[in-house]
Amino acid sequence: MAKQIVIIGGGLAGTTAARELSEHGQTVTVIDPNAGGTCELPPLSKHLFDDSRFHLPYHLEHRELITFMRDTATEITLAEAGAGVTVGTVHLNSGGTLDFTHAILATGMEANRPEIPAYPDALPVYNLGEAEWVRAQVANATRTLDVGVLGSGYLGMEVAASAVAAGHRATVYLRGDEPLRKQLSAPVRQALFEKHRAAGVDFVTHTASPDDIPAGVHDLFITSVGARPITLPIDGDRPAEAWDVDEKLATDHRGIWAAGDCARITSGPAALDHPWACEPVAESHGKHLAEVILAEPDDTADPATLTWNDVPWHWSFQGPEKVFTAGLTSPDTSDTIIRTDPSGAKFQVFHFAGTTPESTLIGVETLNWPPMQAAARRVLGGNSIPTRSQLEDPEFDFKAHSRL
């Protein structure tokens, strides 16, 4: 049976899969309201206040094999046909349907949108239209802007830090007493907190409610209080959160995979209780699923190639500060090892699978030290994973070890 491949979602994961499939001569249909015109999300928050790289469209170089449907899928139904082959149908907002043999759910996330009573125009920067609206306000400003930010995750800190770096003022309203509490370990988040305050970012801690934010202070107000995966029902089954997938990124529904921000990996070395929700992982998922689908039904395929086993990593540029994670890191752990460069301005935090000297490295956080982030990715993706006792040895050369 010829493969009929449908990708629902035209963000990074879906676009990457479509490109890889088309380059191998496989036709594919991409369903997305903005199919063919989506953009790279990270620079939306990093470059709102300057004229550097703003967004990168996900251009597809091989469009002759790709059909764009600028529509939204509403549900998927499955039916048995032929010799036990699962065939599916996608139902569209337009009323039409589309049959498939293989489907990739790459629907991404949608931002939470709290109401700020004092600033009814407050919005998240989660799509190109929102980012362009903010940039228009910045371009039309005749004086230094005062920017308010609710939320202190990666996106919120990128917005605030980039505003201050461009000469504006920024105030971040925190629910707790420090930013990045859910993303980074204490040494990294506290270092960033101090650096941002020194650069001029103001913080208002313990903001219990948006109602507590004063009116008449800020010229612009941007929210950053999380996002949730976009899902659609399959035969009436719709997850409360993300789609659970195995280490192959397969859902429980035969012939349907999930990738990127709408997928939660439940088994294998990269298992996590929430989506990875970062750009490198989305791109890697797209490439992996293209390989998996192209290999079917090749029974000679190496099972190892069907398992997604890349090192997950994330980057966040917050004004001049550059923070990276690689592998499995936890914001709550305190049992880590810290290594600092001779200047004291850059450091890495190492996370381990346990507390014994033989416990192996599972994750690394890196602040303002890009070459060592690259080394961390090489080490975690290699066959010679160092132990706690090795990294406790001041003579151990982590960068040299990454080249083994």
Side-chain angles (χ1 to χ4, degrees):
M1 176 185 292
K3 294 173 182 174
Q4 297 173 277
I5 303 173
V6 172
I7 299 173
I8 303 175
L12 181 53
T15 298
T16 300
R19 179 186 294 114
E20 295 290 320
L21 289 163
S22 69
E23 288 178 350
H24 286 82
Q26 176 64 57
T27 59
V28 62
T29 300
V30 178
I31 304 172
D32 189 282
N34 300 307
T38 50
C39 63
E40 185 178 0
L41 287 177
L44 296 185
S45 54
K46 296 171 177 65
H47 299 294
L48 286 173
F49 299 92
D50 59 42
D51 294 323
S52 61
R53 185 183 68 163
F54 173 43
H55 70 90
L56 300 176
Y58 294 140
H59 293 305
L60 298 176
E61 294 84 358
H62 299 275
R63 298 191 176 204
E64 65 273 12
L65 298 176
I66 300 174
T67 300
F68 290 140
M69 294 191 66
R70 291 179 174 83
D71 204 334
T72 302
T74 59
E75 64 176 322
I76 295 177
T77 58
L78 303 175
E80 292 295 326
V85 178
T86 300
V87 181
T89 301
V90 178
H91 293 258
L92 305 172
N93 269 349
S94 61
T97 60
L98 186 66
D99 292 336
F100 67 86
T101 58
H102 302 74
I104 298 174
L105 305 176
T107 45
M109 287 187 169
E110 58 185 355
N112 297 323
R113 298 174 180 272
E115 292 186 1
I116 313 296
Y119 301 93
D121 292 334
L123 81 171
V125 182
Y126 216 75
N127 60 50
L128 186 55
E130 293 166 348
E132 288 179 335
W133 185 87
V134 172
R135 283 177 61 84
Q137 310 308 305
V138 174
N140 294 331
T142 58
R143 58 182 175 82
T144 299
L145 295 175
D146 194 304
V147 182
V149 179
L150 175 63
S152 58
Y154 285 127
L155 188 149
M157 295 311 304
E158 288 164 4
V159 168
S162 63
V164 168
H168 302 286
R169 294 187 296 272
T171 301
V172 179
Y173 294 86
L174 309 176
R175 182 181 293 275
D177 58 4
E178 60 181 348
L180 300 160
R181 177 62 185 82
K182 295 182 178 180
Q183 289 80 19
L184 299 169
S185 67
V188 184
R189 65 176 182 261
Q190 289 168 4
L192 285 169
F193 194 12
E194 294 171 4
K195 288 176 179 292
H196 291 320
R197 285 192 298 187
V201 178
D202 292 325
F203 292 89
V204 178
T205 60
H206 302 292
T207 304
S209 166
D211 296 345
D212 297 336
I213 296 173
V217 175
H218 306 295
D219 303 303
L220 281 174
F221 206 100
I222 295 170
T223 62
S224 173
V225 290
R228 55 191 180 277
I230 301 170
T231 59
L232 67 157
I234 300 177
D235 280 352
D237 175 22
R238 188 171 196 160
E241 298 180 13
W243 286 105
D244 287 342
V245 298
D246 61 18
E247 66 273 18
K248 301 176 184 178
L249 307 185
T251 70
D252 290 337
H253 302 279
R254 184 178 174 186
I256 301 180
W257 293 262
D261 296 351
C262 69
R264 179 172 58 188
I265 301 173
T266 59
S267 59
L272 204 63
D273 62 0
H274 57 271
W276 278 98
C278 53
E279 302 76 31
V281 167
E283 183 176 20
S284 178
H285 281 183
K287 291 180 179 179
H288 171 74
L289 287 181
E291 294 174 0
V292 168
I293 292 174
L294 287 167
E296 287 195 342
D298 182 3
D299 295 332
T300 66
D302 181 358
T305 66
L306 301 180
T307 299
W308 182 72
N309 55 14
D310 280 359
V311 176
W313 65 282
H314 181 269
W315 59 281
S316 176
F317 292 180
Q318 302 171 15
E321 313 303 333
K322 297 177 174 62
V323 60
F324 308 89
T325 65
L328 292 168
T329 62
S330 170
D332 298 315
T333 187
S334 59
D335 192 17
T336 58
I337 291 175
I338 299 175
R339 285 186 156 215
T340 305
D341 85 322
S343 73
K346 312 169 185 177
F347 66 89
Q348 289 187 298
V349 179
F350 297 91
H351 298 245
F352 299 89
T355 59
T356 65
E358 297 76 24
S359 299
T360 54
L361 182 71
I362 59 172
V364 182
E365 297 169 293
T366 304
L367 182 64
N368 291 330
W369 210 353
M372 295 305 289
Q373 155 69 4
R377 291 174 57 195
R378 289 194 299 270
V379 167
L380 292 169
N383 296 318
S384 182
I385 306 296
T387 64
R388 177 183 292 274
S389 62
Q390 286 178 288
L391 282 160
E392 285 177 334
D393 180 357
E395 301 300 320
F396 179 75
D397 190 331
F398 185 71
K399 191 171 184 179
H401 189 83
S402 74
R403 300 191 182 100
L404 296 179

